[in-house]
Amino acid sequence: AQCLAHAMRHARPDVDERRRGLLRLQGELRLRLRALESQLLHALAATQGSILDDDAVVATLETLKADAAEIERQAADADAVMRDVDAVAAAFTPLARASAAVYFALDRLPALHAFYQFSLPFFERIFHAAVASAPAELPEPQRLAAMRSEMFRLAYARAASSLHHERQPALLLLLAQIKLRADEDDDEAGSQSVWARFNADLDFVLRDSVAGGGDAPSAMRAELPEDLELLLTMGDADSRRALYAHMRALGWLRAWLQAVGDSGDYDDLAYFMSSADAERCVPPLAVSQSDSDVGLALRELIVVRLLRPDRLLSAAVRFGSAAFDGALFSAEATLRSVAETESDAVTPIALCSVVGHDAADRVDALAAGSRVLRSVAMGSVEGFALADQAIAAAAAQGSWVVLKNVHLAPAWLSQLEKRLQSLRAHAEFRLFLTMEINPAVPLSLLRRARTLVFEPPPGVRANLLDSLGSVSSSRQEGPAERARLHFLLAWLHAVVIERLRYAPLGWTTKYEFGDADFSCALATVDSWVDRAHVAGRANIDPARIPWAAIRTLLSDSVYGGRVDSDFDHQVLSSFVQRLFSADAYGAEFLLVEEPRLEAPEGTRAEDFIAWCQALPESEPPAWLGLPPNAETLLLVHKGERLVADTRKLRALIDDDEDEEVEDVAPAGHADEAAVDRAEVPAFMRQVEALAAGFDATLAPLHGPRAILAGEETEMTPLFRVMQRENSVAHALLTKVRGDLSQLRGACRGELKQTNHIRELLSDFSAGVVPRSWLATYAVPRAYSLSRWMADFADRVCVGQRLAERIAVGSVVDVVRARSVWLGGLLYPEAFVTATRQAVAKRLGCSLEELVIRLSVIDGAVAEEAFAVCGLKVEGAVWIDGALELNDGRHEPLPDCCIEWVRSEDVEGDDSGLVTVPVYLNTDRRDLLFEARLPFVDATAFSSSAVVQRAVAIVAA
């Protein structure tokens, strides 16, 4: 209603004035009617005797009748005019409805991150600017279309600047959905078919196509030639399941692939599968049935998501552009535009930075030479008093104030919010708040503020220039060799920071490395150089620089102090050891061996800065020591996150659009429990269908067979581990089935919605695994609901067969007779420990005397070994009895055996072996053990390459 009123006031002031005049007239007429009623009652009350004999009463009644007739006539005229006004206002209703949908979409963004807060005044500024932007000379339909297009553009441009860069495509897809829905409401040509595709095709993709597990039906597999299937899936089992799940659900995709298979011409498809910009070369047969640019882009998005997930982000942007008639949206809000046009004196501007990055210098640059700016560093009681004084003075004078690191003072921020509500400030006053993205910041303050999210520019080049640019001229005095040391330190810092983007491959954890670490490292290096430098000399012999001290401090204290993983520490040490040595001053010193990158020559800071400026904007992963495929893996991860974010936001929007369904009585009251399926919201029908599919997946699984303890086995640790696996799996299976049953009953209207069922509905709508299910065992954080269900079904099935064998035999003999899926166990750490205890008991030695050895099975398994399967190696491949580095892909390992041997039996037998970590899953959070494995050509092999590439084995 607010949007409608403002749009009409600006675009049709004549109609708006008539509407307001009619509203005033209707109010006046109602008042006159009340006055007439009062006069009539007063006259009747004052009558003495018969009413018909009282001439004054009769005259009053005749007057009132005439006045009432006049009022009725004026009211009828007003109603007729109001109908005309409503007809004009109806043309503005789609714009108002779309605007309201955009506001509520922005209001749902905190589901992605708590800092994504947007207030109603924020959106009102967007809407007012969009309405004012439409040229008055345009015809009304074109003018309304221009207003709506500008409203969508401004909503993305201003809101996207408050999001992390990787979250911006999710906002674009959300706005595209709203725009397509608005087109459907307008009943434009072809819009309903586009909306149907969006809700059918894209909905299936967003809800994860791997649901149900299993492989392709044999009849369907026969329709795809083996060479075509290999081209599309690269032999990966998960990709094959996803492909056939898509083919079962999407008829146009099945018809296209079958046509490609029948033709035998795979050239276009092969080029698409290998192209660096696959979203621009989707084979034409895949999308030829589309009748619009939006439909074409939607089909391309689905094909790219299935076959080239590393290009999903780019395909999503293309789809968003097509939805908005080819317009390219960008996050164009700048700090200057925000300060001058998008905020006011009582709206603080929050500059939110990722950990380790500081955006305060942007305010200094903006205010330089034109504004009076006062800076206050927060974090102490003195800072609180100074901040209060600065705000009071600046609010009266109309100057600017920047409060730095306000996340260190969350209690004071709560007081600031209350103070701003009653602050009477000069119109030119502006308050800037710099902070790290920290949960301690009050969300109510963020909602009141105009937030901007700042991230350091990606790439080694940008990091190098930023680091070298922060070195003051006073630090560059002294020996000429100091400038090269500063460059080496900047290179190390750039590598450390850039590897964070590839976590958990670059680092197992996103450590809080930042600018403060570089400043500390700079002070450390300068301190030791000053100690070694002889005063009065312009140079220093590189051999005299205390390299050992510098390396130790950098790897163990400055950067290493943040690292809590031994393998991450090895990565850091390998870079430090290579860069910080006297060899760095030699000719043709290599920063990177492959591809070859030589360190620049020079003795001045300007020489190194000029070299950095000539570097490409983006670097190959090899510069960071990572495998060539690391960038592809990163893009795939970002694409999966985009799908998860879009799924979550789409579920929230669907919840808002569907009508609420009243809780019904439990079964037993048939007349109350019967609910018409047409009245059930669409999202509940989808949830019921999803739950029914999961029920079908779990249907073949019976509860794991109870393992009965015999006299010889009941006290062994290995038996107790397997018994625990069996009982926990049975309990979780029972819980999952019970939750699915309750969920389906609630969706059919047979059960009342409890808090637990509402949580399940919310999780299923968003494709998120319920927290109560996740509490039992660890899975990768990126697992969607469907993928978790397929994985859980596989675990229960394998555990079921294992329990059946243990029930009729010795547990030790059973686990040795056949390989155990190590990653499929709920508690693989306990299994590994139990095998160690079993071997220690057999050998009669302590646990500390045994060390683990992992080897690929080649022949008979030793008595102290336990066979395991399902292991995958990341960054290498097993060839001819040894590992060899690959491009970073995951490759399966043959069946292996875990063997416990005495430590003295393996001493001195490490030639050609490299330590490789064995993690529970691809998140690399849980380390199971370390393995010493052979590598191809070990004599010429540098172990640092294995360390820097983060070669690892994952069990699941």
Side-chain angles (χ1 to χ4, degrees), residues 599-771:
E601 297 293 336
T603 57
R604 298 178 305 130
E606 292 78 6
D607 299 333
F608 296 101
I609 292 177
W611 182 84
C612 295
Q613 290 173 339
L615 293 175
E617 292 286 345
S618 59
E619 72 284 344
W623 285 15
L624 310 177
L626 296 172
N629 204 34
E631 189 68 27
T632 300
L633 297 176
L634 176 64
L635 292 174
V636 170
H637 173 73
K638 288 183 176 181
E640 292 175 350
R641 188 167 186 175
L642 170 63
V643 171
D645 289 346
T646 308
R647 184 191 303 126
K648 184 181 297 184
L649 293 174
R650 182 171 165 80
L652 293 173
I653 297 300
D654 289 345
D655 291 350
D656 291 338
E657 291 178 351
D658 287 317
E659 296 181 355
E660 293 289 338
V661 177
E662 295 291 335
D663 291 343
V664 294
H669 302 277
D671 55 332
E672 298 178 4
V675 177
D676 188 356
R677 293 292 296 170
E679 297 179 357
V680 178
F683 86 94
M684 294 185 70
R685 294 196 294 270
Q686 294 170 350
V687 167
E688 183 185 0
L690 191 61
F694 291 159
D695 262 340
T697 300
L698 300 179
L701 305 175
H702 56 76
R705 179 175 178 177
I707 302 178
L708 302 177
E711 296 181 359
E712 298 180 359
T713 62
E714 61 182 1
M715 299 303 295
T716 63
L718 191 57
F719 176 83
R720 285 198 291 267
V721 166
M722 302 310 299
Q723 189 177 50
R724 182 191 180 199
E725 289 275 339
N726 182 74
S727 61
V728 171
H730 176 66
L732 183 56
L733 179 61
T734 303
K735 177 176 178 55
V736 171
R737 281 176 167 164
D739 286 347
L740 291 175
S741 176
Q742 292 184 35
L743 190 60
R744 296 183 66 185
C747 291
R748 291 193 297 262
E750 299 169 357
L751 294 176
K752 282 190 174 182
Q753 292 187 20
T754 63
N755 289 337
H756 178 62
I757 292 179
R758 291 189 183 95
E759 291 180 0
L760 291 175
L761 278 171
S762 176
D763 291 337
F764 270 59
S765 297
V768 177
V769 186
R771 286 180 294 178

Side-chain angles (χ1 to χ4, degrees), residues 29 73 163 416 422 555 683 719 755 813 850 892 933:
L29 294 177
R73 184 187 63 79
L163 311 182
L416 173 65
S422 58
S555 60
F683 86 94
F719 176 83
N755 289 337
D813 294 339
L850 298 178
L933 295 173

Side-chain angles (χ1 to χ4, degrees), residues 193-194 196-198 200-202 205 246 250-256 272 278-279 282-308 312 315-316 318-319 322:
S193 62
V194 171
R197 293 192 193 101
F198 193 92
D201 293 353
L202 189 57
V205 177
H246 276 72
L250 306 176
W252 61 267
L253 180 66
R254 180 171 61 254
W256 165 58
F272 164 75
E279 70 281 0
V282 178
L285 281 177
V287 294
S288 58
Q289 302 175 20
S290 299
D291 54 3
S292 67
D293 291 340
V294 181
L296 174 69
L298 177 58
R299 292 280 175 87
E300 290 178 346
L301 177 63
I302 294 173
V303 172
V304 170
R305 200 278 191 194
L306 172 63
L307 302 178
R308 286 294 305 274
L312 180 60
R318 284 174 60 85
F319 171 74

Side-chain angles (χ1 to χ4, degrees), residues 471-552:
V471 181
S472 61
S473 57
S474 60
R475 284 188 176 275
Q476 300 171 10
E477 299 176 355
E481 288 74 15
R482 190 191 300 270
R484 192 174 188 82
L485 265 177
H486 289 172
F487 167 77
L488 294 174
L489 190 59
W491 180 268
L492 172 67
H493 183 74
V495 170
V496 167
I497 294 297
E498 281 301 296
R499 286 180 69 99
L500 288 173
R501 295 198 302 120
Y502 297 88
L505 183 62
W507 304 105
T508 57
T509 303
K510 286 198 171 184
Y511 301 111
E512 296 184 354
F513 297 124
D515 296 339
D517 297 307
F518 179 74
S519 299
C520 184
L522 202 63
T524 300
V525 169
D526 285 343
S527 174
W528 284 98
V529 170
D530 291 340
R531 292 187 184 186
H533 178 231
V534 177
R537 294 189 178 181
N539 297 90
I540 183 176
D541 184 0
R544 290 179 51 83
I545 298 176
W547 297 110
I550 292 175
R551 288 194 296 264
T552 301

Side-chain angles (χ1 to χ4, degrees), residues 59-321:
T60 300
L61 289 175
E62 291 177 351
T63 303
L64 292 178
K65 181 179 179 181
D67 290 344
E70 177 63 20
I71 291 174
E72 183 178 359
R73 184 187 63 79
Q74 293 180 5
D77 293 342
D79 290 341
V81 176
M82 183 59 74
R83 285 193 292 270
D84 295 339
V85 172
D86 290 340
V88 175
F92 291 83
T93 301
L95 170 64
R97 187 180 296 115
S99 301
V102 170
Y103 168 71
F104 288 114
L106 297 179
D107 195 50
R108 295 296 181 266
L109 288 179
L112 302 184
H113 196 288
F115 263 55
Y116 301 163
Q117 301 286 338
F118 300 97
S119 63
L120 180 58
F122 168 81
F123 179 74
E124 286 177 340
R125 294 190 185 97
I126 292 175
F127 185 77
H128 294 171
V131 170
S133 66
E137 62 273 11
L138 288 178
E140 187 171 284
Q142 288 84 347
R143 193 177 183 192
L144 288 173
M147 289 179 185
R148 191 173 68 174
S149 298
E150 183 66 7
M151 186 268 297
F152 278 111
R153 189 192 69 81
L154 286 177
Y156 180 82
R158 297 187 180 182
S161 62
S162 300
L163 311 182
H164 293 84
H165 183 73
E166 63 181 18
R167 262 12 194 306
Q168 294 174 4
L171 174 61
L172 181 61
L173 288 182
L174 184 62
L175 294 178
Q177 173 186 347
I178 296 173
K179 199 267 185 182
L180 291 176
R181 183 61 180 267
D183 289 345
E184 181 199 28
D185 292 341
D186 288 348
D187 197 24
E188 296 178 359
S191 64
Q192 294 186 4
S193 62
V194 171
W195 178 251
R197 293 192 193 101
F198 193 92
N199 276 292
D201 293 353
L202 189 57
D203 182 76
F204 172 78
V205 177
L206 293 180
R207 292 183 185 277
D208 195 351
S209 59
V210 191
D215 214 327
S218 57
M220 185 172 291
R221 292 198 62 177
E223 297 178 0
L224 284 187
E226 292 185 4
D227 54 347
L228 176 58
E229 179 183 304
L230 182 62
L231 173 64
L232 297 176
T233 65
M234 301 299 179
D236 182 71
D238 290 339
S239 299
R240 183 169 57 249
R241 285 198 298 268
L243 172 65
Y244 286 107
H246 276 72
M247 290 178 62
R248 287 194 298 270
L250 306 176
W252 61 267
L253 180 66
R254 180 171 61 254
W256 165 58
L257 290 177
Q258 290 172 354
V260 172
D262 294 340
S263 68
D265 184 5
Y266 305 158
D267 291 344
D268 290 343
L269 192 56
Y271 180 75
F272 164 75
M273 295 297 294
S274 60
S275 175
D277 53 352
E279 70 281 0
R280 298 181 181 273
C281 56
V282 178
L285 281 177
V287 294
S288 58
Q289 302 175 20
S290 299
D291 54 3
S292 67
D293 291 340
V294 181
L296 174 69
L298 177 58
R299 292 280 175 87
E300 290 178 346
L301 177 63
I302 294 173
V303 172
V304 170
R305 200 278 191 194
L306 172 63
L307 302 178
R308 286 294 305 274
D310 57 308
R311 303 303 304 169
L312 180 60
L313 287 175
S314 300
V317 173
R318 284 174 60 85
F319 171 74
S321 176

